[in-house]
Amino acid sequence: MISLNGSVFLNNSLTGASKSLSHSPQRRVQYPVLVAAVSSNGRSGERNVTLLMENTLKEMRDDSAAAEVEPKFAVGGGVEDVYGEDQATEDQPVTPWTVSVASGYSLLRDPHHNKGLAFSEKERDAHFLRGLLPPVVVSHNLQVKKMMHNLRQYQVPLQKYMAMMDLQEMNERLFYKLLIDNVEELLPVVYTPTVGEACQKYGSIFRRPQGLFISLKEKGRILEVLKNWPQRKIQVIVVTDGERILGLGDLGCQGMGIPVGKLSLYTALGGIRPSACLPITIDVGTNNENLLNDEFYIGLRQRRATGQEYAEFMQEFMTAVKQNYGEKVLIQFEDFANHNAFDLLSKYGTSHLVFNDDIQGTASVVLAGLISALKLVGGNLAEHTFLFLGAGEAGTGIAELIALEMSKQTGAPIEESRKKIWLVDSKGLIVSSRMESLQHFKKPWAHEHEPVKELVDTVKAIKPTVLIGSSGAGRTFTKEVIEAMTSFNEKPIVLALSNPTSQSECTAEEAYKWSQGRAIFASGSPFWPVEYNGKVYLSGQANNAYIFPGLGLGLIISGAIRVHDDMLLAASEALAAEVTQENLDKGLIYPPFTNIRKISAHIAVKVAAKAYELGLATRLPQPENLIAYAESCMYSPNYRSYR
Ligand SMILES: NC(=O)C1=CN([C@@H]2O[C@H](COP(=O)(O)OP(=O)(O)OC[C@H]3O[C@@H](n4cnc5c(N)ncnc54)[C@H](OP(=O)(O)O)[C@@H]3O)[C@@H](O)[C@H]2O)C=CC1
Ligand SMILES: CC(=O)C(=O)O
Ligand SMILES: [Mg+2]
């Protein structure tokens, strides 16, 4: 290869005008000039070019052999026809060379390197940008200010979302600087609640594909599909099959908004390099009739594959991921329906570095919130009684981690700790008389009690100190429910975890109003501060976004090969430790997101330390100063200077 003006030209025996291959001394077959340029950092283009070169060489050999029989073509490059396309006949295959040079026009359209108006005068000269930009040179900060100004003009959240996605596709570092510098304001745009609406309307708003779509059409070829992704060094994959998107149900292929959103938080909140993140949607069909009948739907138009067909497809996917990216790529399962989620986690938890965000990440964030909340209400976990509305991934995941922590604190067997925790599903309180018909993940929670159907009656019967909504069913914490909680608790702890906002079990305003300002409240999607009786109440966001970026960073920096429950507990403790007295005084059981990068680094340190302690870390020796190491590994969105 030779480098010229920032371009790299493949220069081997194939380059040079009308290079000929002479496999046979008798016959000579002329081939077009093959010159391919790739961007100077050798990113996506290089592998593709190499592959194309290999394929072309193979074709040449095949053609050459064919030419022994009958020379079909005699192609030579025309004037400046470096690819030999001018003279190619219709039945003659040509290679669709892509030329991408990290300079000039292409540089402006490469989101990883583009700086827009922030290119310096020197860079404009060195990279052939003169005339392609207006003359002004602006700072990164001014670009952020302008983008925020523009975003604030949009009244409709979905418009903000689309503007953010466009920016991500146009100038990645500006996107991340914007998100990091304005995290409280922009999190609800790129994440819940707006991402929910974006997924619902994904078919209509779809402009450019993000991430990898792996559908049943690719069965048997998943490894090949993974190789089409331009980046080789992937550290985190967030994968969904779109069957349980937030509390919005089956959105099929349109669930892609979720892995894309989660991974943008991995970068912005956890400092994982964007090029190391890969969003994937597995499309095995959808059972959503509206989507199946929607002419703009972008996924497979068939009902979901299930059973063996589904399992085999996932097996091929998991095997291909490990084969392509190695043992240490983190796979986060996201928004799978519970009939697959638990099985996938237990099946791959022992062979891959996997975790389920809805089961485990949510558990960790809620436990952290409870550790903080108990500082306000007093008592330890074992002295409290917990009631969940919703006994699926989030509900049973959280319940199990609480029980685990309770047992660690008291030394009691986990079966004993579980007895302090009650769950309600769509059929009512989970009790032992229902055991036979319960899904396996509910069985540990089937305690002795008479059946109770209504939530309000359950609250009155169980008298919980903590009420947690994880049902995906909005408006289920009614006035009567909150009033019942308030009748026997001085400070009822109420967590409405369901997303997006439309599915929240109650609003912050309702929680404070119906409890006469006594509730300690947090929710999965954010609520504005509430004024009640002349006092302003701030509620925290009980969302796994506090955990997965730091957890992922900790796993990566330690080179962990498996996720262990003790890492989730460590993450909870680390997050709870970030809640200040000042936060608690305001009723906040989570720290503000403004400090999230520092918080993620601290979570990462505790997770990494646990990985070393458990013998699951492979990055040896252990760095002496883990916090300094974690921080040094974190991606910064600052522009780089181009030589
Ligand atoms: N804040 C956060 O960080 C997170 C929030 N979530 C949210 O939690 C919600 C649930 O997610 P997940 O646990 O994965 O979903 P699942 O489908 O696994 O579980 C839902 C559970 O809620 C029960 N349920 C549904 N409707 C009602 C109702 N009207 N009354 C009583 N119970 C009901 C279901 O009952 P049955 O089993 O009988 O069908 C099931 O047990 C979603 O809205 C999701 O967005 C999830 C993860 C993280
Ligand atoms: C936050 C999240 O993961 C969910 O609602 O599914
Ligand atoms: Mg989720």
Side-chain angles (χ1 to χ4, degrees):
M1 284 192 218
I2 56 166
S3 175
L4 187 65
N5 283 341
S7 311
V8 178
F9 291 91
L10 295 176
N11 187 15
N12 58 20
S13 62
L14 293 174
T15 58
S18 299
K19 200 84 182 167
S20 64
L21 276 188
S22 52
H23 293 286
S24 141
Q26 286 85 30
R27 293 179 191 276
R28 287 187 161 223
V29 183
Q30 298 289 305
Y31 283 90
V33 173
L34 298 170
V35 179
V38 297
S39 60
S40 59
N41 70 350
R43 292 161 65 94
S44 57
E46 187 162 35
R47 187 182 61 83
N48 287 339
V49 167
T50 311
L51 266 177
L52 287 168
M53 295 289 276
E54 283 165 6
N55 290 342
T56 306
L57 264 172
K58 185 173 172 299
E59 278 171 31
M60 282 176 161
R61 287 189 204 104
D62 295 348
D63 285 351
S64 181
E68 301 281 331
V69 183
E70 188 180 353
K72 208 172 167 192
F73 318 120
V75 181
V79 177
E80 305 267 340
D81 178 25
V82 288
Y83 306 112
E85 284 167 357
D86 287 357
Q87 297 185 27
T89 56
E90 219 180 10
D91 58 348
Q92 181 185 18
V94 291
T95 304
W97 295 109
T98 54
V99 180
S100 96
V101 181
S103 66
Y105 194 77
S106 317
L107 179 54
L108 291 178
R109 273 151 190 78
D110 173 358
H112 307 294
H113 298 110
N114 183 24
K115 302 190 202 178
L117 293 179
F119 278 113
S120 68
E121 299 287 0
K122 197 166 144 259
E123 287 170 333
R124 290 173 192 216
D125 279 333
H127 295 279
F128 308 98
L129 295 169
R130 285 276 163 212
L132 300 181
L133 290 165
V136 72
V137 176
V138 305
S139 68
H140 208 175
N141 282 335
L142 190 67
Q143 287 182 309
V144 168
K145 187 176 173 188
K146 185 175 108 181
M147 270 309 297
M148 285 311 293
H149 172 79
N150 290 348
L151 280 175
R152 286 174 186 144
Q153 307 300 309
Y154 293 118
Q155 299 302 313
V156 179
L158 193 61
Q159 288 176 324
K160 294 187 191 197
Y161 176 89
M162 289 165 70
M164 285 297 283
M165 291 304 107
D166 284 349
L167 180 62
Q168 194 175 19
E169 289 291 309
M170 201 168 68
N171 181 338
E172 192 175 83
R173 286 182 185 272
L174 183 54
F175 170 85
Y176 282 111
K177 186 164 170 56
L178 202 69
L179 190 49
I180 291 167
D181 290 357
N182 301 277
V183 65
E184 298 260 4
E185 186 172 344
L186 295 182
L187 210 54
V189 176
V190 299
Y191 193 55
T192 183
T194 313
V195 71
E197 188 184 355
C199 289
Q200 288 175 311
K201 299 177 179 164
Y202 212 73
S204 304
I205 66 172
F206 181 84
R207 294 192 211 197
R208 296 177 71 176
Q210 292 174 295
L212 267 183
F213 294 89
I214 302 180
S215 80
L216 285 175
K217 281 189 197 170
E218 281 77 54
K219 188 165 167 46
R221 298 171 51 196
I222 296 181
L223 184 59
E224 209 181 300
V225 175
L226 291 179
K227 288 185 188 297
N228 286 343
W229 186 251
Q231 310 292 346
R232 302 290 298 154
K233 296 200 172 93
I234 297 301
Q235 293 173 332
V236 189
I237 289 172
V238 177
V239 59
T240 188
D241 72 356
E243 191 167 3
R244 197 285 280 145
I245 294 298
L246 306 177
L248 301 171
D250 182 351
L251 298 184
C253 193
Q254 304 197 160
M256 181 55 106
I258 295 294
V260 167
K262 292 270 176 186
L263 282 164
S264 67
L265 303 196
Y266 260 106
T267 298
L269 279 48
I272 311 296
R273 193 180 324 119
S275 59
C277 297
L278 173 54
I280 297 184
T281 292
I282 301 283
D283 185 351
V284 293
T286 178
N287 296 339
N288 183 326
E289 291 299 333
N290 290 338
L291 291 180
L292 289 172
N293 294 320
D294 179 353
E295 62 176 325
F296 298 133
Y297 181 54
I298 57 171
L300 284 187
R301 230 166 263 276
Q302 65 168 72
R303 296 189 75 76
R304 281 187 176 273
T306 56
Q308 195 179 343
E309 189 184 8
Y310 180 87
E312 282 175 7
F313 197 60
M314 286 306 295
Q315 172 71 19
E316 185 189 341
F317 168 70
M318 295 300 289
T319 307
V321 165
K322 202 161 164 180
Q323 197 172 336
N324 206 37
Y325 300 116
E327 180 92 9
K328 283 178 261 176
V329 61
L330 171 63
I331 304 171
Q332 172 168 323
F333 292 121
E334 192 70 51
D335 289 10
F336 283 76
N338 61 39
H339 54 92
N340 289 318
F342 288 99
D343 294 348
L344 288 170
L345 185 60
S346 72
K347 181 167 179 190
Y348 295 106
T350 50
S351 59
H352 289 65
L353 181 66
V354 293
F355 89 103
N356 182 302
D357 188 35
D358 302 297
I359 301 171
Q360 298 170 292
T362 315
S364 186
V365 79
V366 170
L367 179 59
L370 292 173
I371 294 171
S372 303
L374 295 198
K375 291 181 185 151
L376 288 169
V377 299
N380 57 35
L381 284 174
E383 288 165 323
H384 284 266
T385 305
F386 303 82
L387 178 66
F388 288 79
L389 181 72
E393 295 167 65
T396 61
I398 302 163
E400 187 64 13
L401 201 66
I402 294 174
L404 200 62
E405 177 63 15
M406 219 185 258
S407 287
K408 276 191 189 253
Q409 289 178 3
T410 59
I414 190 134
E415 293 76 16
E416 278 307 304
S417 299
R418 286 188 186 128
K419 290 185 179 152
K420 299 288 294 178
I421 304 172
W422 298 81
L423 288 95
V424 170
D425 65 9
S426 63
K427 297 184 179 64
L429 185 63
I430 295 180
V431 289
S432 46
S433 57
R434 292 178 54 195
M435 187 66 95
E436 288 297 295
S437 60
L438 290 174
Q439 290 152 288
H440 66 88
F441 49 86
K442 294 179 184 170
K443 287 186 193 282
W445 311 102
H447 308 316
E448 285 301 326
H449 198 285
E450 63 192 33
V452 191
K453 180 82 184 94
E454 298 301 324
L455 178 63
V456 67
D457 297 331
T458 314
V459 168
K460 287 174 185 165
I462 302 294
K463 294 201 173 18
T465 51
V466 181
L467 178 65
I468 300 178
S470 51
S471 60
R475 298 291 179 271
T476 36
F477 289 174
T478 58
K479 187 165 184 276
E480 292 68 36
V481 167
I482 301 291
E483 281 176 352
M485 282 295 290
T486 312
S487 67
F488 47 80
N489 288 298
E490 178 55 32
K491 290 181 178 171
I493 299 171
V494 178
L495 307 181
L497 300 181
S498 294
N499 297 312
T501 315
S502 58
Q503 310 309 112
S504 188
E505 283 78 7
C506 67
T507 66
E509 188 179 3
E510 289 165 347
Y512 294 123
K513 209 166 74 185
W514 294 337
S515 68
Q516 294 121 43
R518 279 159 46 198
I520 294 165
F521 178 77
S523 54
S525 297
F527 283 105
W528 292 106
V530 172
E531 201 186 323
Y532 172 74
N533 270 354
K535 189 175 163 197
V536 175
Y537 292 83
L538 302 179
S539 56
Q541 191 174 348
N543 194 295
N544 49 33
Y546 274 109
I547 291 290
F548 66 78
L551 174 69
L553 181 64
L555 295 168
I556 290 167
I557 63 171
S558 60
I561 49 161
R562 296 288 176 270
V563 176
H564 191 283
D565 279 347
D566 284 355
M567 297 174 182
L568 301 172
L569 292 176
S572 295
E573 283 159 21
L575 176 57
E578 295 296 321
V579 182
T580 62
Q581 189 57 46
E582 195 189 341
N583 298 148
L584 290 172
D585 291 344
K586 290 180 188 156
L588 287 172
I589 57 171
Y590 292 100
F593 268 113
T594 34
N595 295 331
I596 186 66
R597 282 169 71 89
K598 183 177 101 13
I599 295 167
S600 294
H602 283 120
I603 293 174
V605 165
K606 295 291 181 202
V607 169
K610 192 54 77 178
Y612 283 105
E613 189 189 317
L614 294 169
L616 292 171
T618 61
R619 197 173 299 271
L620 300 169
Q622 176 175 346
E624 267 182 33
N625 184 341
L626 265 177
I627 187 74
Y629 182 59
E631 283 172 351
S632 74
C633 292
M634 289 175 83
Y635 165 87
S636 134
N638 294 343
Y639 285 140
R640 305 293 186 261
S641 295
Y642 301 142
R643 61 173 71 81

